[in-house]
Amino acid sequence: MLTNERYELILNKLATHKTVKITELIEATDASESTIRRDLTELETLNKLQRIHGGATLPDRDMQELSISAKSEKYFSEKVKVASLAASIVKEGDFIYLDAGTTTFQMIPFLKDRNITVVTNGLTHVESLTEHGISSYLIGGYVKATTGALVGQQARNSLKQYHFNKCFLGTNGVDPVHGYTTPDPDEATVKSLAAEQSRTTYIVADHSKVKKSSFIKFLSIEEAVLIIDEMPEDILNELEEKTLVKVVQK
Amino acid sequence: MLTNERYELILNKLATHKTVKITELIEATDASESTIRRDLTELETLNKLQRIHGGATLPDRDMQELSISAKSEKYFSEKVKVASLAASIVKEGDFIYLDAGTTTFQMIPFLKDRNITVVTNGLTHVESLTEHGISSYLIGGYVKATTGALVGQQARNSLKQYHFNKCFLGTNGVDPVHGYTTPDPDEATVKSLAAEQSRTTYIVADHSKVKKSSFIKFLSIEEAVLIIDEMPEDILNELEEKTLVKVVQK
DNA sequence: CTGCTTATGAATGATTATGATGGATTTTAT
DNA sequence: ATAAAATCCATCATAATCATTCATAAGCAG
């Protein structure tokens, strides 16, 4: 039996049963314990599975892990709805900017097969973008280890090279008076500039951000279209005096 | 049995079984082991199949992962030795450029706790860099999905913002006459520019690259210090007339 | 026929995969 | 908590497979 055939067999068993025991695999492949162990070690380094005592189990896969940890996040399903609505605005051939952040990340699966070009400052976005076959540019800059965002003066300089017809930004606060705000000055300047470089700017947010404001304002309400999952009637009216607001249909 | 008949038989078996063993093919075609091997080699260069130890399998599956993991397997221990030697050159406070690629990737663990700043075009490097607590900047540019390298004009512009005292580049060919070469024009221009922006440039390579040349020349031999695991005496002499060569101690 | 190219098979030493062993570690049962 | 059982890891020798080289055979143009 060829090495690859064993790999396949192992992965198949895993896919159907979620876990496999080494003894099972020895029996099924007629290989020695050593060989099976080596197979598991190898497949583990390829992130195809996770070894456990006595066998193996499905891994916290890179992508799935991200989406799983994202799912455990607050308002995940709302974010996906917002992302879906935002993505529906993107048309064939568009040249768009995708801000780092979880909501914009959720837009990616909805963007495939649309022959668009994406520029982003989100390191974590890139893997998903290329996996979905989307032509991608990353801006340069300092790597903020905690969020995987590219920030700072270098990011701004790098960003100046591009122009977009649509720009999608996340935010930490949406307030009729204080505008769109975020706690990190480095990220704020990058957001502002991205908006400047774009014909239209869209803010994606869930309702938990409404009437909140954070440290730094990066855009006024008028400067962007707001895409959100739900919104109290009174504030919606207040915002709509200043800009277009798209609320997800129930 | 004619060559083409064998080819057909091999591809048929593959189509139905997903994998074939060489011993099976010897039996089925009544040809010698050598002939079958030659057939497989040929069909592989035509991308009709992928050779694996003991036989062959259908191509394409997990192309990205395989090409990356395969690369890091061949001459892996040599690469690590070279990487270790190269990393020993980096001093406290240095500001260095780290090219995308497997050998430069192996340098990262050797660089920690040295209070340096790293700029790179290797998307895959970033995670490892931040894990090792190294302050990192990524240049911008087009994301080349196969290698995770940032390339193109935007990468060049982004790179121009930085200056280094040391620059570490990988290469596909080292030749006394043709210099340092690589198959991808986009990557080549980025390498050249990185070298320009640096006081000193180091090429890291394993001996399999010696006397090879690829499509595009990005540097002359004189322009960089060569760091390599081993080297035939005659070529070493020839190279040493032009530049400094550091060979890993046995 | 001669000289040339191409295909083949055999032999070699190198590389890789494998299975077995013994001692460490972890789990399980008491 | 302790002992027994199972599982794990590192190491080794062996077997299988691999790349390379060489010599021969087959096909073919001149």
Side-chain angles (χ1 to χ4, degrees):
Chain A
M1 187 169 222
L2 250 31
T3 309
N4 280 39
E5 293 178 319
R6 284 199 314 274
Y7 286 0
E8 194 124 343
L9 185 149
I10 294 170
L11 294 176
N12 276 340
K13 258 194 190 298
L14 258 181
T16 52
H17 296 79
K18 304 263 203 142
T19 60
V20 278
K21 291 206 255 289
I22 288 196
T23 51
E24 283 172 22
L25 293 176
I26 293 173
E27 179 128 2
T29 62
D30 210 38
S32 71
E33 189 187 316
S34 303
T35 300
I36 298 297
R37 287 189 191 290
R38 271 184 283 255
D39 288 351
L40 295 184
T41 312
E42 174 64 18
L43 289 171
E44 186 175 37
T45 63
L46 294 173
N47 274 318
K48 300 288 189 183
L49 53 78
Q50 197 150 0
R51 297 192 61 181
I52 53 175
H53 195 90
T57 178
L58 285 172
D60 304 338
R61 280 187 99 193
D62 316 17
M63 276 315 303
Q64 285 171 5
E65 180 183 34
L66 280 179
S67 59
I68 283 170
S69 66
K71 272 177 194 162
S72 66
E73 201 178 322
K74 267 196 164 179
Y75 306 112
F76 174 76
S77 65
E78 287 85 346
K79 283 180 203 288
V80 173
K81 285 179 198 159
V82 169
S84 166
L85 176 55
S88 73
I89 294 169
V90 177
K91 302 300 176 207
E92 184 81 8
D94 270 357
F95 199 68
I96 70 171
Y97 179 82
L98 215 53
D99 191 19
T102 49
T103 310
T104 50
F105 182 84
Q106 295 306 326
M107 288 175 64
I108 297 173
F110 297 109
L111 292 175
K112 73 170 177 181
D113 303 327
R114 223 173 296 181
N115 190 33
I116 59 171
T117 301
V118 173
V119 177
T120 181
N121 73 325
L123 217 40
T124 49
H125 289 16
V126 175
E127 189 181 353
S128 178
L129 283 165
T130 55
E131 263 176 24
H132 286 91
I134 300 168
S135 169
S136 313
Y137 290 78
L138 197 61
I139 71 169
Y142 181 74
V143 179
K144 196 175 160 188
T146 48
T147 62
L150 294 159
V151 299
Q153 184 58 42
Q154 290 78 9
R156 287 175 56 87
N157 289 341
S158 184
L159 185 49
K160 280 181 191 152
Q161 297 184 72
Y162 304 94
H163 291 270
F164 320 104
N165 44 4
K166 285 158 191 161
C167 162
F168 295 89
L169 304 176
T171 186
N172 284 65
V174 176
D175 186 279
V177 177
H178 302 109
Y180 303 109
T181 49
T182 183
D184 183 334
D186 288 326
E187 292 197 15
T189 62
V190 174
K191 284 178 202 279
S192 301
L193 181 58
E196 276 178 42
Q197 304 292 104
S198 177
R199 261 173 82 89
T200 320
T201 301
Y202 299 87
I203 300 284
V204 291
D206 64 75
H207 63 276
S208 71
K209 310 293 171 55
V210 174
K211 267 286 187 187
K212 298 272 164 56
S213 36
S214 191
F215 186 43
I216 311 268
K217 171 175 169 181
F218 62 91
L219 272 187
S220 304
I221 295 294
E222 304 85 36
E223 294 176 286
V225 175
L226 176 61
I227 302 174
I228 199 159
D229 61 316
E230 60 178 77
M231 171 87 75
E233 193 69 34
D234 54 336
I235 301 177
L236 178 60
N237 291 333
E238 198 175 347
L239 287 170
E240 281 184 330
E241 286 175 18
K242 299 186 172 182
T243 191
L244 181 59
V245 180
K246 292 187 178 243
V247 181
V248 172
Q249 303 297 318
K250 300 265 160 160
Chain B
M1 189 172 220
L2 290 178
T3 309
N4 281 25
E5 290 178 328
R6 284 198 315 273
Y7 285 2
E8 198 137 333
L9 185 149
I10 293 170
L11 293 177
N12 276 341
K13 258 195 189 302
L14 258 181
T16 52
H17 295 79
K18 299 219 280 190
T19 60
V20 279
K21 292 198 247 296
I22 288 199
T23 52
E24 281 173 22
L25 292 175
I26 293 174
E27 178 127 1
T29 61
D30 210 39
S32 71
E33 189 187 316
S34 303
T35 300
I36 298 296
R37 286 190 191 290
R38 271 185 281 256
D39 290 350
L40 295 183
T41 312
E42 175 62 19
L43 290 170
E44 185 176 38
T45 63
L46 296 173
N47 273 319
K48 300 286 190 185
L49 53 78
Q50 198 150 357
R51 295 193 62 183
I52 54 176
H53 195 90
T57 179
L58 286 171
D60 183 34
R61 234 173 57 79
D62 296 32
M63 269 310 289
Q64 296 173 0
E65 279 188 27
L66 281 181
S67 65
I68 286 171
S69 71
K71 262 188 191 169
S72 62
E73 271 173 36
K74 207 154 202 189
Y75 304 110
F76 177 76
S77 65
E78 287 88 345
K79 284 178 202 290
V80 173
K81 285 179 198 156
V82 170
S84 165
L85 176 55
S88 73
I89 294 169
V90 178
K91 302 300 177 209
E92 185 81 9
D94 270 355
F95 200 67
I96 71 172
Y97 179 81
L98 216 53
D99 191 19
T102 49
T103 310
T104 49
F105 183 84
Q106 296 304 328
M107 288 175 63
I108 297 173
F110 297 108
L111 292 174
K112 70 172 179 181
D113 303 325
R114 226 174 292 181
N115 191 33
I116 60 172
T117 302
V118 173
V119 177
T120 181
N121 73 326
L123 215 41
T124 50
H125 290 17
V126 176
E127 189 181 353
S128 178
L129 283 164
T130 54
E131 265 175 22
H132 287 92
I134 299 168
S135 169
S136 313
Y137 290 78
L138 196 60
I139 71 169
Y142 181 74
V143 180
K144 195 176 159 187
T146 48
T147 61
L150 295 160
V151 299
Q153 183 59 40
Q154 290 79 9
R156 287 175 57 87
N157 289 342
S158 183
L159 185 49
K160 280 182 191 151
Q161 299 183 71
Y162 304 94
H163 291 270
F164 321 105
N165 44 3
K166 284 159 193 161
C167 162
F168 295 89
L169 304 177
T171 186
N172 283 63
V174 176
D175 186 282
V177 178
H178 302 108
Y180 303 109
T181 49
T182 183
D184 183 332
D186 289 326
E187 291 198 13
T189 61
V190 174
K191 284 177 202 280
S192 300
L193 182 59
E196 277 177 40
Q197 305 291 104
S198 177
R199 263 174 81 91
T200 320
T201 301
Y202 299 87
I203 300 283
V204 292
D206 65 75
H207 64 274
S208 71
K209 310 293 171 56
V210 174
K211 266 287 184 187
K212 297 269 164 61
S213 35
S214 192
F215 186 43
I216 310 269
K217 171 176 170 181
F218 61 90
L219 272 189
S220 305
I221 295 293
E222 302 86 37
E223 295 176 284
V225 176
L226 176 61
I227 303 175
I228 198 160
D229 62 318
E230 63 178 76
M231 170 89 74
E233 192 69 32
D234 53 338
I235 302 177
L236 180 59
N237 291 334
E238 198 174 347
L239 288 170
E240 281 183 331
E241 286 175 18
K242 300 184 170 183
T243 191
L244 182 60
V245 181
K246 291 184 179 247
V247 182
V248 172
Q249 304 295 318
K250 300 264 156 157

